[in-house]
Amino acid sequence: MVLFAVQFLSVVLLADCASPAVAERDVLLNEAERLGIALSEDELRTQSSVSEEVLSALGEDGAVLRENLRKDLLAEKMRHRMRCAIAERIPQISSEDIAREQAAVAKHNAGLAEANRSICRLATNAWKSIRAGNDFATVGNKLTEMNTGASYEVLCEDAAPVCTNLADGEMSAPLLEDSVLSFYSVSSPTAGVRRISRIALQLQKPREVLSNEQTEMSLVERMIDAAYEKWLKSKASAPSRTTAERSNR
């Protein structure tokens, strides 16, 4: 049982080590090698999410895992250094920059508010048409064709508590649940079981209105992100030192 647990943990940990940003990690590791930056044993020991005892218990898999952890931590160390270096070169954010950003957020939110009002009107009209006699499923399927944010569930697994108060064949009023406008329909029982269907329309969430200080921080972070991505692409498109050495032989 203990051996099985260790082997299972090995599979899980090795899977976790597979970084989704492999290309980014390779660029960072090449840059660390070029600059002579390494990860000390103390850094590996204190920052690793897996203890040395577990790594030892995993045997050969533990050695592979340890090397992957070392590379991940070194890449993160290099990433932090690069972003700090970029941050030092970011120009000062002016009050005009902050005002422009806040105005853009306000304009964006105003556009979303109008779009959400349109969605609410669409939901209300659909609900009224069902109340007037149109089939719930037919209306639900039609809405999904008309609006990409609309969905129709024949069988709703997580029906709202309000449905417990609905009689067979009744429909709920439109309900707003975490930016989703929904209404439910309860069918007549089949084999003693009631089926609850749902029509839902997703409303768009407005961007957060930030203070001047928060807006400045957001702009700086965005500029750092853009510069870092540009640096990554330039490094990724250039041959690594190892590749260049091979081609020169």
Side-chain angles (χ1 to χ4, degrees), residues 60-88:
E60 292 183 4
D61 285 342
V64 175
L65 174 60
R66 190 177 195 278
E67 179 59 14
N68 274 327
L69 287 170
R70 185 192 68 78
K71 288 181 178 179
D72 284 344
L73 291 172
L74 177 56
E76 185 56 36
K77 178 179 180 178
M78 194 65 218
R79 183 177 186 273
H80 178 70
R81 287 199 176 199
M82 287 306 307
R83 290 180 66 85
C84 286
I86 291 171
E88 292 177 357

Side-chain angles (χ1 to χ4, degrees), residues 166-178:
L166 293 177
D168 299 341
E170 281 192 334
M171 179 177 61
S172 74
L175 304 167
L176 184 60
E177 308 164 294
D178 190 27

Side-chain angles (χ1 to χ4, degrees), residues 98-119:
I98 294 173
R100 271 194 302 271
E101 177 64 13
Q102 291 174 335
V105 170
K107 183 178 179 180
H108 173 81
N109 288 346
L112 284 191
E114 179 55 40
N116 285 339
R117 282 192 289 270
S118 177
I119 292 173

Side-chain angles (χ1 to χ4, degrees), residues 101-109 112 204-212 214-215 218 222:
E101 177 64 13
Q102 291 174 335
V105 170
K107 183 178 179 180
H108 173 81
N109 288 346
L112 284 191
Q204 299 183 66
K205 293 185 178 180
R207 289 172 58 183
E208 184 181 0
V209 178
L210 303 176
S211 65
N212 287 354
Q214 290 171 323
T215 300
S218 175
R222 194 184 306 168

